[in-house]
């Protein structure tokens, strides 16, 4: 089906919702909207791509969107000042915990967007507050701005079912939500961003959340990968199907550059262009030799190729 969208620079999709960012930093959304996460101030579904007024050039905006990320019931937008250079980059997001709310009704909300000069990496969110699965209410359709976090900015985000992560400009990793967060604690509701102190010796550049929200990974500037969460089907790549409540190092022979995750498996591209997979299922690329890999294992059928990027689906 052809839709009337032009100059699109990035597209994001989840199970039942979609977003598109054009080259001017404007955002279109459509699909299921049960939690108000499409950003239009209501919970009605949208059958066609619809421009978000708060990011529209015709609405005297002060910010534009560089990237966004979709959780189960929330969406996070990374913005820059409207006169800043726009570079559309990959990002995954979450819903901020310390927030400011606007009580103004749609379409005037969020009023704060027209009265600020935001730094790069500022976060705005719409959808279910805190990503803890609360039921739709008047509050879930309001826009909220993330706290400054000591004037640091966000460089990469990840979100999934009831969890959110943010890699900060100083290399710290923050987590919040209601699941295994890698903080060394058993699953519990964490309603404000909490630092993963076990990773403080590293500079985190990227973070990834598994589809079910109870497993995650992060990547350092040295190409090291740390994982935590439920080890069901060996999807954490740590050699066990046991629960891990704090980050543990995965073993690779080369620094990792890119990563992607399916429902029960992970895939990574290393500095030498080799590809590794782990977990369970046919998405391992093992040629039918096995459907279980407890730790990252090189894909032999790709050794003659210089792989530069990867993606993953439910079983692919």
């Amino acid at each position: 089906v052809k839709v009337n969208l032009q100059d699109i620079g990035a597209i994001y999709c989840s199970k039942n919702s979609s977003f598109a960012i054009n080259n001017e930093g404007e955002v279109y959304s459509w699909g299921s909207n049960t939690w108000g996460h499409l950003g239009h101030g209501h919970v009605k579904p949208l059958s066609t791509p619809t421009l978000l007024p708060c990011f529209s050039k015709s609405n005297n905006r002060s910010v534009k969107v560089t990237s966004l990320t979709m959780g189960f019931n929330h969406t996070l937008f990374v913005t820059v000042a409207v006169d800043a250079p726009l570079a559309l980059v990959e990002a995954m997001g979450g819903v901020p915990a310390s927030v400011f709310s606007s009580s103004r009704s749609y379409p005037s909300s969020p009023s704060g967007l027209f009265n600020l000069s935001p730094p790069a990496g500022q976060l705005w969110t719409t959808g279910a507050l805190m990503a803890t699965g609360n039921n739709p209410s008047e509050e879930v359709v309001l826009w909220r701005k993330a706290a400054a976090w000591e004037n640091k900015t966000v460089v990469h985000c990840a979100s999934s079912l009831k969890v959110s992560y943010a890699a900060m400009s100083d290399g710290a990793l923050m987590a919040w939500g209601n699941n295994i967060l890698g903080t060394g604690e058993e699953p519990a509701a964490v309603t404000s961003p909490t630092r993963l102190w076990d990773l403080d010796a590293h500079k985190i550049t990227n973070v990834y959340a598994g589809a079910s929200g109870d497993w995650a990974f992060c990547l350092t500037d040295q190409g090291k990968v740390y994982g935590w969460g439920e080890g069901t089907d060996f999807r954490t790549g740590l050699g066990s199907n046991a629960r891990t409540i704090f980050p543990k190092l995965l073993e690779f022979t080369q620094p990792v550059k890119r990563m992607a995750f399916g429902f029960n498996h992970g895939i990574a591209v290393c500095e030498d262009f080799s590809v590794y997979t782990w977990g369970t299922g046919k998405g391992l690329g093992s040629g039918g030799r096995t459907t279980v890999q407890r730790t990252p294992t090189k894909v032999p059928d790709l050794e003659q190729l210089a792989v530069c990027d990867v993606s993953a689906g439910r079983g692919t």
Side-chain angles (χ1 to χ4, degrees):
V1 178
K2 185 176 182 180
V3 295
N4 186 26
L5 291 177
Q6 299 179 352
D7 300 322
I8 298 302
I11 293 176
Y12 302 80
C13 299
S14 66
K15 184 177 181 180
N16 295 309
S17 305
S18 301
F19 287 82
I21 306 175
N22 67 18
N23 293 327
E24 298 291 338
E26 297 177 307
V27 180
Y28 294 81
S29 63
W30 64 99
S32 173
N33 193 30
T34 304
W35 300 93
H37 54 276
L38 294 184
H40 292 276
H42 56 73
V43 294
K44 300 176 182 178
L46 297 173
S47 59
T48 58
T50 304
L51 179 66
L52 271 68
C54 57
F55 297 127
S56 171
K57 291 190 300 180
S58 62
N59 229 5
N60 193 31
R61 62 178 183 172
S62 63
V63 296
K64 55 188 176 183
V65 175
T66 62
S67 61
L68 62 86
T69 143
M70 308 164 67
F72 179 76
N73 52 17
H74 60 289
T75 307
L76 181 145
F77 302 80
V78 180
T79 67
V80 295
V82 71
D83 57 351
L86 182 64
L88 294 176
V89 296
E90 177 187 1
M92 297 182 169
V95 63
S98 298
V99 296
F100 303 99
S101 298
S102 167
S103 59
R104 297 181 65 178
S105 61
Y106 172 84
S108 299
S109 175
S111 60
L113 286 177
F114 310 118
N115 297 290
L116 50 87
S117 297
Q122 186 175 82
L123 303 182
W124 285 83
T125 184
T126 186
L129 181 62
M130 309 313 303
T132 53
N134 53 303
N135 293 324
S137 68
E138 182 181 355
E139 290 186 339
V140 305
V141 298
L142 295 179
W143 285 77
R144 299 168 174 86
K145 183 172 62 122
W149 289 336
E150 300 176 352
N151 297 319
K152 299 179 180 66
T153 57
V154 175
V155 297
H156 199 248
C157 303
S159 68
S160 189
L161 182 61
K162 300 184 181 181
V163 298
S164 301
Y165 298 93
M168 310 303 291
S169 56
D170 64 348
L173 182 61
M174 312 295 286
W176 63 101
N178 191 358
N179 219 311
I180 304 171
L181 300 175
T183 58
E185 303 289 340
E186 292 294 332
V190 177
T191 57
S192 61
T194 300
R195 190 164 184 157
L196 272 65
W197 293 103
D198 287 339
L199 295 170
D200 256 23
H202 307 281
K203 184 174 183 178
I204 307 303
T205 59
N206 297 73
V207 59
Y208 309 86
S212 58
D214 56 3
W215 52 297
F217 297 87
C218 66
L219 181 64
T220 75
D221 62 344
Q222 300 297 312
K224 294 182 178 180
V225 177
Y226 287 82
W228 60 92
E230 293 289 359
T232 308
D233 297 322
F234 306 100
R235 58 195 180 188
T236 57
L238 297 170
S240 168
N241 58 10
R243 173 183 294 176
T244 302
I245 60 176
F246 53 86
K248 285 189 176 182
L249 181 67
L250 276 71
E251 296 182 3
F252 293 90
T253 60
Q254 294 284 328
V256 172
K257 293 298 183 182
R258 303 285 291 182
M259 301 176 69
F261 300 92
F263 192 76
N264 283 321
H265 72 288
I267 181 170
V269 178
C270 291
E271 193 173 59
D272 62 354
F273 305 109
S274 59
V275 177
Y276 287 75
T277 59
W278 63 94
T280 302
K282 296 181 179 179
L284 299 176
S286 62
R289 291 179 288 271
T290 180
T291 57
V292 177
Q293 290 174 176
R294 295 170 177 256
T295 58
T297 304
K298 185 180 289 188
V299 180
D301 294 337
L302 296 176
E303 289 185 355
Q304 302 303 314
L305 301 176
V307 178
C308 59
D309 202 356
V310 288
S311 62
R314 184 178 181 91
T316 60

